[in-house]
Amino acid sequence: MTVGATLETPSERASYLRAGYSLRSWLTTTDHKRIAVLYLYAITAFFFIGGIAAALIRLDLATPGGDLLSNEGYNRAFTLHGVVMVWFFLIPSIPATFGNFLIPLMIGAQDLAFPRINLASWYLYVLAGLFTLYALIAGGVDTGWTFYTPLSTLFANGYVVAALLAVIIVGFSSIFTGMNFIVTVHKLRCPGMTWSRLPLFVWSLYATAMILVLATPVLTMLLILVCIERLSGIGIFNPDLGGDPLLYQHLFWFYSHPAVYIMVLPAFGVLSELVTAAARKRIFGYWFIAYSSVAIAVIGFLVWGHHMFVAGESTYASAVFSFLSIAVAVPSGIKVYNWIATLYKGSISLDPAFLFAMGFIGLFVIGGLTGLMLAMLAVDVHVHDTYFVVAHFHYIMVGGAVTAFFGALHFWWPKITGRMYNITWGRITAALIFLGFNLTFFPQFILGYLGMPRRYHVYPPEFQVLHVLSSAGASILAVGYLLPLIYLLYSLRHGQPAGSNPWGATGLEWTVPSPPPKQNFAEMPVVTRPPYDYPIRDPMSRE
């Protein structure tokens, strides 16, 4: 049976989606849920732009001669892919969409602390995106997403300043979002929602917000300095004028390594919610998981030097950074251990969100273990700037953060839209993404170990088999990423009504109708039970 608009439920008629139908009602909204939906549209668009660049890269690498793109074209393709995916998808993906939508619902608030600043953050994001598209249409950028000097200040002939302005502006968007989350969690929790009762998703976003607010200004100042040197010729990073190019690397990685945790900490929060809901059990080691998020955020500020083992830093400094980089694996390992322990003897249902969660754990463990290898001086020197690093980075960022994003999308889609999607297609998608991802990136570990440098599109013929395998995997991965676009959009009109709690999960967001009403709660909720209080005592909540 198909369900269309004629079967619209009373909760849908009173929901935030029906609070206004005009374009103006959306573009001027201060409702955190609508702003989250606006972010979802925007980051989806940039995800496909970055994906198109990745497809060009993999097609070009299918032959050893680099027959599809020119040298400059290849440089511009991987720069576009990196800039778009890092700053316009990975960093805002979970915080700006699911964080915006869920934090007030999870803590019993009507909205975020600063609704207008929340809307302003979205407009800054869009403005930054327009600068990026301008740089792309005008001719592109060939510096790589790291904008290393002196390449970016002296030698690059693309639209570097436009790309830098885009990253600077989107940084302010991130700062606005982080500041909003911090104040909201401190000031707007409902009665009874103590720190010990906060959902672990909120803990992870709180730690992420601290990094956003503390680290992003460093990147902003750094990129402004690059613009000044490129436009005026003042010596800041140019050694001929008294500057130091290594200063750029120190400041860039002081932001960019914590940025890795900006991308993956929200994914950890998602996993904690998915695992405990799938197992129908209380989370194992609540405080260990909560404090490990804070520990990762703190230690993440102390490990930037491991990106510079071959840049000339002292042996003693390298040894310290190596030790600290290995140390950050401890809180990460605690999380994985606690998720597995939560699943032990759980009443597990193989919903799509759970399958994505399992995919995340498998891929993140591989990414984490290879990260430990890169933290060791001897190994890092051997595989530095090779495809080994590319594979490790993608196992964490794509295998981890993007898989968690899709898990979150399948878990909270019924809450956001009020409609169920096709569960079978969700399971197929989770399997396709897991298989396609491993076929894409695992061969790159071998390529890197054998000496294939990254950012080269002409390579010896003996590497072709592994590159073809990688490109074949990318095609499977692309199908996996496109499928949800079809069945989730189909569900908006033809999906069954979801009910308030289709997964039988705990948490305040599951106590309100799906989709939620404009004001979230008819009455201020009062929390009296601990988090993840399974089994659910009220059978009506298992609709």
Side-chain angles (χ1 to χ4, degrees):
M1 180 180 71
T2 59
V3 178
T6 54
L7 293 184
E8 189 178 61
T9 64
S11 63
E12 286 176 323
R13 285 193 290 274
S15 75
Y16 74 99
L17 293 172
R18 302 293 186 267
Y21 295 94
S22 66
L23 182 61
R24 181 180 178 183
S25 73
W26 278 91
L27 296 181
T28 59
T29 184
T30 53
D31 185 339
H32 66 101
K33 301 180 289 297
R34 285 193 160 206
I35 294 171
V37 173
L38 291 175
Y39 263 115
L40 185 60
Y41 283 128
I43 68 163
T44 300
F46 279 105
F47 180 74
F48 283 104
I49 291 173
I52 291 170
L56 287 174
I57 293 168
R58 287 314 321 168
L59 285 172
D60 189 55
L61 289 169
T63 58
D67 301 312
L68 180 64
L69 299 174
S70 64
N71 294 341
E72 282 200 354
Y74 185 78
N75 289 345
R76 290 167 199 267
F78 71 68
T79 300
L80 172 69
H81 172 68
V83 169
V84 168
M85 283 303 196
V86 170
W87 278 295
F88 292 91
F89 179 75
L90 285 168
I91 287 179
S93 59
I94 294 176
T97 53
F98 300 106
N100 256 326
F101 195 95
L102 292 168
I103 283 182
L105 289 167
M106 284 181 161
I107 66 172
Q110 300 295 339
D111 207 322
L112 290 173
F114 305 114
R116 289 186 177 85
I117 290 179
N118 196 22
L119 180 61
S121 74
W122 182 76
Y123 274 106
L124 285 175
Y125 175 87
V126 172
L127 179 63
L130 292 176
F131 269 95
T132 305
L133 292 178
Y134 165 73
L136 166 65
I137 295 170
V141 185
D142 57 357
T143 61
W145 73 277
T146 52
F147 297 108
Y148 269 4
T149 59
L151 174 60
S152 61
T153 53
L154 293 178
F155 303 109
N157 57 9
Y159 288 77
V160 178
V161 173
L164 292 174
L165 285 175
V167 177
I168 290 169
I169 294 170
V170 82
F172 279 102
S173 171
S174 296
I175 292 171
F176 283 4
T177 299
M179 181 182 66
N180 226 337
F181 286 178
I182 292 170
V183 177
T184 301
V185 173
H186 274 275
K187 303 299 291 185
L188 297 186
R189 285 175 284 130
C190 66
M193 182 57 80
T194 61
W195 286 92
S196 63
R197 290 172 176 166
L198 277 180
L200 290 166
F201 182 68
V202 178
W203 269 102
S204 69
L205 285 181
Y206 181 79
T208 304
M210 296 298 288
I211 303 176
L212 282 171
V213 171
L214 294 175
T216 308
V218 177
L219 178 75
T220 303
M221 290 186 291
L222 176 65
L223 298 185
I224 290 173
L225 291 176
V226 173
C227 288
I228 290 173
E229 178 164 301
R230 184 173 176 88
L231 294 174
S232 69
I234 295 174
I236 301 170
F237 306 109
N238 182 357
D240 288 341
L241 299 174
D244 184 355
L246 282 183
L247 174 63
Y248 178 87
Q249 291 193 35
H250 278 288
L251 292 175
F252 180 81
W253 289 114
F254 182 80
Y255 162 81
S256 292
H257 196 84
V260 170
Y261 302 114
I262 291 173
M263 298 178 238
V264 81
L265 267 174
F268 291 159
V270 169
L271 256 287
S272 297
E273 302 298 325
L274 302 191
V275 165
T276 189
R280 305 286 193 273
K281 282 178 60 186
R282 290 188 182 185
I283 195 83
F284 182 86
Y286 173 89
W287 281 113
F288 280 98
I289 295 180
Y291 285 143
S292 64
S293 294
V294 178
I296 290 171
V298 172
I299 299 173
F301 278 102
L302 306 175
V303 301
W304 79 92
H306 78 229
H307 294 275
M308 302 171 61
F309 285 158
V310 299
E313 68 182 6
S314 75
T315 305
Y316 299 110
S318 295
V320 171
F321 282 121
S322 175
F323 172 78
L324 291 170
S325 302
I326 293 172
V328 80
V330 175
S332 302
I334 286 171
K335 287 181 180 295
V336 174
Y337 171 79
N338 282 307
W339 293 329
I340 300 299
T342 302
L343 293 173
Y344 180 63
K345 291 188 176 180
S347 176
I348 295 172
S349 54
L350 298 179
D351 297 322
F354 173 73
L355 296 180
F356 278 108
M358 291 300 95
F360 171 96
I361 291 176
L363 300 176
F364 177 75
V365 167
I366 295 174
L369 290 175
T370 51
L372 286 177
M373 296 166 70
L374 290 172
M376 298 174 188
L377 277 164
V379 178
D380 185 81
V381 170
H382 176 66
V383 298
H384 188 82
D385 261 345
T386 70
Y387 264 77
F388 192 94
V389 178
V390 176
H392 156 71
F393 183 78
H394 282 81
Y395 263 84
I396 296 293
M397 292 296 98
V398 182
V402 177
T403 302
F405 174 82
F406 276 88
L409 190 62
H410 285 76
F411 187 60
W412 282 297
W413 180 264
K415 177 56 61 182
I416 294 171
T417 66
R419 297 288 172 161
M420 291 300 294
Y421 54 87
N422 187 300
I423 298 295
T424 302
W425 279 113
R427 290 171 178 150
I428 292 172
T429 298
L432 277 177
I433 288 178
F434 183 78
L435 294 173
F437 179 87
N438 279 296
L439 187 56
T440 303
F441 292 104
F442 198 84
Q444 296 181 15
F445 280 126
I446 304 171
L447 281 168
Y449 180 77
L450 294 176
M452 172 76 200
R454 65 177 179 172
R455 297 181 175 177
Y456 281 61
H457 74 134
V458 178
Y459 56 85
E462 56 264 34
F463 290 153
Q464 187 177 13
V465 172
L466 290 169
H467 270 302
V468 169
L469 281 176
S470 189
S471 296
S475 64
I476 298 173
L477 194 56
V479 172
Y481 286 150
L482 284 170
L483 275 178
L485 196 64
I486 299 170
Y487 61 77
L488 290 180
L489 290 179
Y490 183 84
S491 75
L492 290 177
R493 183 160 183 81
H494 301 285
Q496 295 285 351
S500 61
N501 192 1
W503 311 119
T506 64
L508 288 178
E509 78 270 29
W510 300 110
T511 65
V512 298
S514 302
K518 186 173 185 299
Q519 299 302 323
N520 291 351
F521 300 95
E523 296 179 359
M524 176 73 77
V526 177
V527 178
T528 58
R529 295 186 178 281
Y532 312 108
D533 190 24
Y534 290 100
I536 297 178
R537 291 169 174 77
D538 178 10
M540 293 301 291
S541 60
R542 288 182 179 272
E543 296 177 40

